Every structure is written in C-alpha cells, then in structure tokens.
Amino acid sequence: MGKSKKLLFGIVGVPPLAVMAELAADGSTIVDLDEPQGKIDLETASPFLPRVYCGILRTVIANSLTIKPDVIYIDTGAGKCDCAVHTATVLEDILPQTTIIRTKNQDSTGFGTPLCKAKMDLVDKMSAITSGVQLITPDDDIQPCSPTAGFWGVPPRDFSLLSFFPDTTHIYGWARCMENKTPDNIEMECHYNPDIPTVFFAQSFCAKTALARHLANKHPYALYLDCDVTAGNSVKAKIQAFLELSGVKV
Amino acid sequence: MLLADFGTSYCKLLETDSGEPPTLTPTRDLDRKSIKVDIATGHNGKRYATTYINELTALAKGGLSLIDEPSFTLLDCGSRDIKYVIYEDGKIKDMGWNAECGASMGFTIELLEKYYSIDFANLPIPKSSFSITCGVLGMSHIFDAVVSGESEAEAVAKFVKGIALNAYNFAKHPEKIYLSGGLCDNPLFVGSFPCSVVPLGRFVLLEGLQASSAPSAR
C-alpha cells in the first residue's frame, strides 16, 4: 500500500473479520458498495448486468463504476451468493484500475445479535447492522426486548419498507447472520420465531426468494414478500395490512 | 359518511346515512377538483379522503364482514391488479397483491369485450386456455390464434380462461374462492375457475371501509 495516497476500499457482502481488522488498523476509508451511495443512477449498471437481476448487485456495479475504489473486497462464498461470483468477474473486466479481491467468509465465531433483538426503529436497527460490518469489536451494551413482529431476510435495497414495522420487531435471517459476523451460517439463517407474525423478505431475482418462501410456508403467521429496487405501493400495503390484520400494534 | 373505493376504471361510492345502495361511476367521469370523501381506499384514494385504508386491509375487512366462515380465500380481480387474502381459523394466513406481472387483467378483458363486440354471457367456457401471466402479454396469444384460423370469440374465451387460471394459481389454488370485483359479472370468467366460486360483487372493499368505521368491526 502506497504511503503517498490513502487508498479507498469498497466492500461487498461481509468480508472476513481478519480483512476488516486489517482495514481498521490502517484507518482505511471503506465504502459499503451494497448500499445506495448518494444519488448514483442504478441505470449505470445496465450495460454490464441485466436489468432483471438482484437490485443489490446492480447497486454494487453502479457504485463501483461511479466511486471507483482502489480495492474492492467482494465476498463470493456461500455467505453471499452465486450472483456475487459473477459480479466479481464483471467488476474485474470493467474496472481494470481497481484491485478486486475475492473472499470466502467462513468465520464461525459469533459476535452475538443484540441489535436484532433490540427495541429500536427498524430502519435505524438495520442501518446499525449494515454499518456494523466495519466494526471489529462486538457491542454488548444493548438490552433485548420482547418481540411483537419479525422481519426475516437480507437488508433490503430500499429501507423504506422497514418503516412500517414496530420498534419491537426482531430481525432474523441473513441480516442476523450479518450482525453475528457469520454470514455463512445456514442454521442461524433458517431460524425464526413461530409465535410472532413475521415478514419473510428477499430481494426479487435473488436465490434467497426460495428460502424466504419456503420458511414463510412453514411459519404459522407469515407473509412472503419480495421487492426489487424500490418498494412500491403494493409492497407497502402488503406489509401494513399484514401487520394490522395480525393484530400487531405499530 | 361518504365512503369511496377509487378503482382504476370505476369508482364505487357509498353515502352511509342515505340508506341508498352504493353507486358506480367511471373514474374518468369523477370531478377530481371537488370530490372529498370521509374514508377511501384504492388507486389515488389518499388525495380525496380524510382517512385512507389500503386496499388489502379493506378487502380483508370486507371479507370478514361478508363471509361467515373462519377459513376462506377472497380474491379481488380489478382492472389493473389482483389481490387476495386467506383466512384460516379466523386469523390472517396469507395475502398477495400483484400489480406488475399478472396485471391489467380486468382492463384487458373489458378492452377485448368492446373491441370484438363480444357478449361474455353467451360465450361457452372453452376446454382449453392460453398460458397467460398478464393481460398485456396474453394479447399476443389471441392474435396468433386468430391468424391460425380460430374465431375471435373462441380465442378471447381461451384468453379469459387463462386469466382466470392465473388468478386461481396466484390465490394458491383453493377449493373455493370468494370473488370480488367487476369480473363477478362476467359469467365466462367466473365459470372458468377450476373450483367453486362465490361472487360477492364490486362492493366488497366498500364493505370493508364500512366495517372499519364501525366500532364493533370484527
């Protein structure tokens, strides 16, 4: 790493803790490429990825093309998805000045999941989980609450769909694995609470739609939901109606 | 109290204090500048109402009010979308709202009825159907069939049956469907479902609004 220029790092998925610790030790600037960054036009990605493709990985391509990080760590293991494997190949070809480093996060030491169980606005809670990817020490100072609703799935491309849930919503699925820093943990990913109404969410065109729908079918009070880039009226209405008709106080 | 279900093609209005039945007005004929209602649901309803209830909630509450069974599937086929709620033992079990793929069904059926001057009451239910995912994509099947020598009426009937089967599958293929929406008045559509169908008419969502405003709503 050169001393004259501070490198800009991009991350996709949850890179292994050792990688994040190294970046933290260097005081590196890190951009989470999975998340929308400012007003970057998603169509920037369209020449390189099909429009009918995971909205998060389209976001990765659009962010990468616009921000042009010096180095991108992209997790391509089972803790992310097959689509990320191919996205890494695309990134290598379209950003020759950027070093693309593929990782396979198989960390198995749990950090705990206090945020997922906390009483907190769900948008803020999910934001804390996604920004927590860059933390290398666990936060134990958060008390759990008794859940009244559940959100199972990945952090959505459009966080606005989380705004309809009560503060007492517990988070399950891959987002919980994310907070635990064990993204390749299928047992934790499949866990849900059958006693609370739960929305099983996946991004449209993501392989996790199969697991989301499968688990929703097993859960006694569940709504399966998929959403592409932005949450339209029907997505929002489904969440609102499901929670209201399930007797959840929002 | 004035209640309104603002549909894409038709607006359903009910003045609860009048004792009169609900009225049906083409949405394009609404006086958008002056209309103001107390409770609304439907497309753009928020603009004209003091209180807004979303379509799925209104549908579910309408179903609970009209259907005296603890378990049921209620499917609403509108002009631009389809939506359903499933209750099991008095609790919400599942719901869906398809406004993208599977959309424009009612709109397309009405369009075809006028374009081909078809009387759906006199059209026999066909044995087969087209494989259709939405109204717009299904249109090409009709043109292909007509080019291949089928009558326009036969082709449209297969199209309508395909739409009914698609809606049936979307609602998780129940043994009995309670049907809501203007297509309740289309005997070809109703008869094309491969299950028992109980048409509830166009005013189920209005019923849901009424139930929402009543203190003893179930």
Side-chain angles (χ1 to χ4, degrees):
Chain A
M1 304 291 165
K3 290 182 181 173
S4 58
K5 183 197 170 200
K6 195 83 177 163
L7 295 179
L8 178 61
F9 290 84
I11 56 170
V12 180
V14 182
L17 188 60
V19 170
M20 298 312 295
E22 191 179 322
L23 296 181
D26 288 347
S28 304
T29 304
I30 303 168
V31 181
D32 188 341
L33 298 171
D34 285 316
E35 290 185 26
Q37 301 290 338
K39 292 187 175 175
I40 294 174
D41 186 359
L42 197 59
E43 281 303 302
T44 313
S46 295
F48 308 106
L49 280 186
R51 284 192 176 87
V52 182
Y53 206 71
C54 169
I56 289 175
L57 290 169
R58 293 178 67 208
T59 303
V60 167
I61 293 283
N63 284 340
S64 302
L65 284 166
T66 309
I67 297 169
K68 295 188 171 59
D70 299 294
V71 180
I72 294 176
Y73 283 98
I74 176 166
D75 201 61
T76 54
K80 184 63 174 171
C81 58
D82 285 348
C83 291
V85 177
H86 306 310
T87 301
T89 304
V90 173
L91 284 171
E92 284 162 352
D93 279 350
I94 64 176
L95 289 175
Q97 305 302 316
T98 298
T99 304
I100 310 296
I101 301 174
R102 298 172 189 235
T103 62
K104 287 193 172 148
N105 188 343
Q106 294 177 320
D107 292 347
S108 57
T109 304
F111 251 48
T113 57
L115 281 166
C116 289
K117 302 169 196 159
K119 182 175 184 179
M120 190 190 294
D121 174 83
L122 191 58
V123 174
D124 294 340
K125 193 155 39 178
M126 195 64 86
S127 298
I129 289 172
T130 55
S131 59
V133 171
Q134 299 186 30
L135 300 177
I136 55 166
T137 51
D139 188 349
D140 296 326
D141 193 24
I142 301 171
Q143 295 304 308
C145 71
S146 182
T148 60
F151 176 88
W152 181 101
V154 298
R157 168 69 171 59
D158 182 356
F159 273 29
S160 74
L161 66 84
L162 302 173
S163 63
F164 300 99
F165 289 81
D167 292 354
T168 44
T169 300
H170 278 193
I171 293 175
Y172 303 89
W174 192 77
R176 182 174 281 219
C177 300
M178 196 177 182
E179 187 191 4
N180 199 45
K181 294 197 186 287
T182 55
D184 181 11
N185 183 339
I186 191 69
E187 191 179 338
M188 177 175 272
E189 190 168 4
C190 288
H191 170 68
Y192 58 78
N193 182 344
D195 297 326
I196 51 171
T198 300
V199 172
F200 287 82
F201 168 80
Q203 284 292 140
S204 302
F205 318 118
C206 171
K208 288 190 192 296
T209 51
L211 186 59
R213 204 167 72 164
H214 175 66
L215 295 178
N217 284 336
K218 289 170 72 173
H219 192 289
Y221 314 109
L223 173 70
Y224 164 70
L225 184 77
D226 73 297
C227 173
D228 188 14
V229 177
T230 52
N233 283 337
S234 67
V235 166
K236 291 174 180 172
K238 273 189 266 194
I239 296 170
Q240 284 179 309
F242 173 72
L243 293 175
E244 182 183 342
L245 297 168
S246 299
V248 175
K249 287 181 183 165
V250 180
Chain B
M1 190 171 0
L2 185 58
L3 313 179
D5 169 11
F6 291 97
T8 314
S9 299
Y10 295 96
C11 180
K12 285 75 77 175
L13 293 161
L14 175 67
E15 176 53 75
T16 56
D17 302 326
S18 72
E20 298 292 321
T23 59
L24 194 64
T25 306
T27 299
R28 63 175 177 274
D29 294 344
L30 276 183
D31 182 358
R32 293 166 195 270
K33 285 181 183 165
S34 64
I35 190 163
K36 192 74 187 170
V37 305
D38 296 295
I39 308 178
T41 188
H43 192 53
N44 285 335
K46 282 179 193 164
R47 294 184 190 176
Y48 312 115
T50 311
T51 303
Y52 179 79
I53 292 176
N54 90 46
E55 286 103 312
L56 273 170
T57 305
L59 179 69
K61 292 193 172 178
L64 288 171
S65 175
L66 293 168
I67 303 166
D68 195 18
E69 292 171 31
S71 304
F72 62 84
T73 296
L74 171 59
L75 172 70
D76 180 79
C77 293
S79 282
R80 73 181 173 102
D81 56 17
I82 51 176
K83 41 194 172 283
Y84 71 87
V85 290
I86 299 176
Y87 271 80
E88 196 172 278
D89 297 329
K91 288 183 176 175
I92 188 76
K93 168 73 179 161
D94 196 5
M95 60 175 60
W97 183 355
N98 202 342
E100 289 145 6
C101 295
S104 301
M105 293 183 167
F107 170 79
T108 317
I109 290 175
E110 192 170 328
L111 190 80
L112 290 167
E113 181 182 22
K114 289 175 181 163
Y115 184 75
Y116 287 122
S117 301
I118 286 170
D119 179 3
F120 284 118
N122 293 319
L123 215 53
I125 294 158
K127 287 180 181 166
S128 61
S129 67
F130 297 141
S131 174
I132 288 169
T133 51
C134 82
V136 175
L137 294 177
M139 294 280 275
S140 61
H141 289 286
I142 296 177
F143 300 130
D144 287 347
V146 171
V147 167
S148 304
E150 241 174 299
S151 75
E152 292 164 351
E154 274 177 292
V156 170
K158 284 185 178 179
F159 172 86
V160 171
K161 184 167 182 173
I163 280 183
L165 291 177
N166 189 44
Y168 166 75
N169 287 326
F170 181 61
K172 307 276 174 78
H173 35 79
E175 289 180 3
K176 180 162 83 171
I177 279 181
Y178 287 91
L179 188 64
S180 157
L183 285 170
C184 287
D185 298 330
N186 185 321
L188 175 65
F189 182 73
V190 173
S192 291
F193 279 82
C195 67
S196 159
V197 179
V198 182
L200 296 177
R202 290 175 180 270
F203 303 119
V204 177
L205 274 73
L206 274 185
E207 188 71 35
L209 296 186
Q210 213 168 357
S212 296
S213 66
S216 61
R218 182 155 57 133

